[in-house]
Amino acid sequence: FDTSSAGHIQAGDEPEESAIRELYEELGIQASKEELQFAGCFDIQYEKEFHGKMFRDNEVAFVYMYTKPVDVAKLILQKEEVESVEWFDMEELDAALQPPRDQRFCVPMEGFQIAKQWLESRK
């Protein structure tokens, strides 16, 4: 399992525009700028050898929160990128991401921490 909706910023776009586009493309959710709230950002730096060549990933990830109610049955999943959607309890997911990490999840820990802190700050 990975982040619910993610993608790359297209040339000339702002992060928020990309978040709105990806939310619609991957899950069929039409959100407005007012319905997304910026939670934070983090750096992704990854380096590993694949098929005899080095792969390097160096980017900045922006985290936005969409808090309107979502009916999973009404989502329109982009079949090329999203196989299924499931809800997870934040505490359960937090425990699953701690070492030794539950291999079912590839959610970036930094992004999860930003989302968790954002949610806790609203309690």
Side-chain angles (χ1 to χ4, degrees):
F1 294 99
D2 198 355
T3 306
S4 59
S5 178
H8 289 89
I9 300 171
Q10 295 179 356
D13 281 357
E14 293 295 322
E16 189 176 54
E17 291 173 289
S18 295
I20 290 169
R21 181 189 70 248
E22 292 294 338
L23 192 59
Y24 179 69
E25 286 178 2
E26 295 182 6
L27 301 176
I29 296 173
Q30 290 187 300
S32 67
K33 288 184 178 189
E34 296 75 33
E35 293 172 328
L36 287 185
Q37 296 188 33
F38 177 70
C41 59
F42 64 98
D43 293 331
I44 296 174
Q45 294 180 337
Y46 180 78
E47 188 173 297
K48 187 173 181 173
E49 186 175 322
F50 287 100
H51 305 288
K53 295 182 181 180
M54 282 306 280
F55 171 78
R56 291 178 180 86
D57 188 10
N58 188 13
E59 57 188 286
V60 176
F62 294 82
V63 179
Y64 288 89
M65 305 298 284
Y66 179 78
T67 59
K68 290 185 78 172
V70 173
D71 181 351
V72 174
K74 293 183 180 178
L75 294 177
I76 302 168
L77 306 182
Q78 183 182 20
K79 64 181 176 182
E80 297 84 8
E81 295 196 31
V82 182
E83 183 177 318
S84 66
V85 175
E86 289 188 36
W87 294 111
F88 292 95
D89 177 79
M90 289 294 282
E91 299 307 318
E92 175 188 350
L93 184 55
D94 193 9
L97 296 177
Q98 301 302 319
R101 187 183 183 112
D102 182 333
Q103 295 302 305
R104 296 178 302 152
F105 299 98
C106 61
V107 175
M109 189 62 177
E110 298 89 343
F112 172 75
Q113 289 296 339
I114 288 171
K116 183 179 174 188
Q117 290 170 359
W118 184 89
L119 288 169
E120 288 174 353
S121 73
R122 269 123 191 98
K123 289 183 180 178

